[in-house]
Amino acid sequence: MKLFSCIMGLLLFLLQAVPGLGLPKDTLRCVGYHGFCFRSKSCPKPFAAFGTCSWRQKTCCIDTTSNFHTCQDEGGHCVPPKIKCLQQQVGLCPHRKWKCCTEV
């Protein structure tokens, strides 16, 4: 699994370095959250769906056994940056700048 992550990171670096070969924004967001793009609409276990890839053609899946859990899996909810959290929670939100809160 770590080898696959390293290969994906190298591929992302090479695609950004070569002009005209950039990845779609949704794919970059998925890879930024250490996700993987799958062709099927549902993710295989132990992955959980976390958005889309390739211009909404594929599903972004993140590994639920890693440290990158979604906010809802951790018992929180995602809020925009202008809302203040009384208690912030660790977890991924679908929008990069949003934060995960247990209490607002």
Side-chain angles (χ1 to χ4, degrees), residues 18-100:
V18 177
L21 293 179
L23 294 172
K25 285 185 180 182
D26 59 349
T27 303
L28 289 174
R29 184 178 61 82
C30 180
V31 173
Y33 281 121
H34 304 278
F36 303 96
C37 297
F38 288 94
R39 290 193 184 275
S40 64
K41 294 294 178 188
S42 61
C43 300
K45 292 196 178 204
F47 293 92
F50 191 71
T52 61
C53 295
S54 301
W55 294 286
R56 299 181 185 215
Q57 305 263 332
K58 297 179 182 178
T59 304
C60 175
C61 301
I62 58 170
D63 186 358
T64 58
T65 61
S66 72
N67 293 332
F68 303 102
H69 295 286
T70 63
C71 183
Q72 288 80 12
D73 289 344
E74 297 295 326
H77 53 279
C78 295
V79 296
K82 56 187 161 185
I83 295 177
K84 293 190 178 192
C85 295
L86 293 177
Q87 186 174 357
Q88 199 158 346
Q89 174 72 29
V90 175
L92 299 175
C93 292
H95 301 287
R96 183 174 286 276
K97 299 195 183 210
W98 287 32
K99 52 192 168 184
C100 182

